[in-house]
């Protein structure tokens, strides 16, 4: 409904699909780990200290930074589910605009955008590749070229798997078959353990990228995994 808040249906007049109250009440992922976007306690570190979770301090991931502005809870859960499982383009556009509104001015987005390749069977069932749709439109808005990665094998759904099983499930599942610039951004819709994005980050490193920003629209706190 153009002109109305996508969350409470209040009339809005500033061209964005949300009202000020709903935007302020979104489950923002403030103070997250800078490498995996895991939500951290607000008082875990001094504001000037780069935030890292204990897991990333012990085992740094393949990406060099992560930007996931929201948590997968509250208002974000039905929004993402409407987009992902009902192919609702209005919900997808709201996700894109929320991401663009959240981007930090100091964030280096790199020189190319690579989305996580969808499962062929799942894409046929749903009628579209939901991550590719988001990645293409995000790349267009950011005026960056989009590079397609290849899924080397079909993998079982990550739903219901623990962290170790997720990593094993997507290990060496992707490839990028062209040289990449030094700095790139990789995109998924929801980041749960980060296993899928890290697998894609490793493929990007093999193709020449060295600075890799993992970007997703929402992060599932690990306490719920």
């Amino acid at each position: 409904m153009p002109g109305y808040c996508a969350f409470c249906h209040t009339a809005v007049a500033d061209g964005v699909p949300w009202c000020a109250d709903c935007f302020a009440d979104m489950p923002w992922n403030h103070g997250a780990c800078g490498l995996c976007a895991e939500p951290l306690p607000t008082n875990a570190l001094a504001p000037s200290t780069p935030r890292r979770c204990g897991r990333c301090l012990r085992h740094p991931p393949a990406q060099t930074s992560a930007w996931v502005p929201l948590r997968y809870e509250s208002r974000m859960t039905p929004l993402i589910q409407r987009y992902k499982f009902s192919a609702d383009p209005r919900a997808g556009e709201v996700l894109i605009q929320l991401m663009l509104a959240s981007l930090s001015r100091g964030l280096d987005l790199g020189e190319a955008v690579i989305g996580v390749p969808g499962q062929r069977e799942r894409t046929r069932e749903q009628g579209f590749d939901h991550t590719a749709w988001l990645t293409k439109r995000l790349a267009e808005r950011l005026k960056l070229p989009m590079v397609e990665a290849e899924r080397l094998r079909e993998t079982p759904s990550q739903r219901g798997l623990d962290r170790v099983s997720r990593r094993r499930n997507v290990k060496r599942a992707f490839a990028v078959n062209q040289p990449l610039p030094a700095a790139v951004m990789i995109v998924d819709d929801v980041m749960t353990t980060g296993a899928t994005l890290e697998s894609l980050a490793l493929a990007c490193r093999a193709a020449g990228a060295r600075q890799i920003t993992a970007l997703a629209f929402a992060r599932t706190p690990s306490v719920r995994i």
Side-chain angles (χ1 to χ4, degrees), residues 86-161:
S86 300
D88 182 344
R90 165 73 167 167
E93 179 60 24
V94 174
L95 287 172
I96 292 290
Q97 292 205 39
L98 279 170
M99 175 60 75
L100 294 173
S102 76
L103 287 175
S104 168
R105 292 184 180 180
L107 185 66
D108 186 355
L109 299 176
E111 302 169 67
V113 182
I114 304 105
V116 171
Q119 298 269 23
R120 285 185 288 274
E121 183 177 347
R122 205 168 304 156
T123 298
R124 283 196 301 269
E125 290 174 356
Q126 295 181 339
F128 84 127
D129 184 333
H130 61 275
T131 303
W133 191 95
L134 290 172
T135 304
K136 180 180 179 182
R137 280 151 185 79
L138 193 61
E140 289 171 351
R141 305 289 178 88
L142 296 173
K143 298 183 176 8
L144 291 171
M146 178 176 167
V147 175
E148 290 191 7
E150 178 188 359
R151 182 177 283 270
L152 299 177
R153 56 186 174 81
E154 298 297 291
T155 56
S157 171
Q158 297 278 69
R159 234 172 292 164
L161 299 180

Side-chain angles (χ1 to χ4, degrees), residues 1-137:
M1 295 187 298
Y4 291 86
C5 175
F7 303 99
C8 71
H9 308 302
T10 299
V12 292
D14 55 3
V16 294
W18 52 69
C19 67
D21 288 343
C22 287
F23 187 77
D25 195 43
M26 294 295 291
W28 297 106
N29 193 20
H30 295 310
C33 173
L35 290 179
C36 74
E38 169 68 19
L40 297 174
T42 54
N43 61 349
L45 293 168
S48 61
T49 306
R51 288 176 173 261
R52 299 288 184 268
C53 68
R55 187 176 294 109
C56 287
L57 286 172
R58 294 189 300 270
H59 305 288
Q63 68 268 13
T64 52
S65 64
W67 184 259
V68 188
L70 291 144
R71 301 188 307 276
Y72 187 54
E73 58 189 33
S74 179
R75 300 172 186 271
M76 283 302 289
T77 304
L79 179 68
I80 288 177
Q81 289 178 350
R82 285 204 314 274
Y83 170 68
K84 191 169 182 175
F85 302 116
S86 300
D88 182 344
R90 165 73 167 167
E93 179 60 24
V94 174
L95 287 172
I96 292 290
Q97 292 205 39
L98 279 170
M99 175 60 75
L100 294 173
S102 76
L103 287 175
S104 168
R105 292 184 180 180
L107 185 66
D108 186 355
L109 299 176
E111 302 169 67
V113 182
I114 304 105
V116 171
Q119 298 269 23
R120 285 185 288 274
E121 183 177 347
R122 205 168 304 156
T123 298
R124 283 196 301 269
E125 290 174 356
Q126 295 181 339
F128 84 127
D129 184 333
H130 61 275
T131 303
W133 191 95
L134 290 172
T135 304
K136 180 180 179 182
R137 280 151 185 79

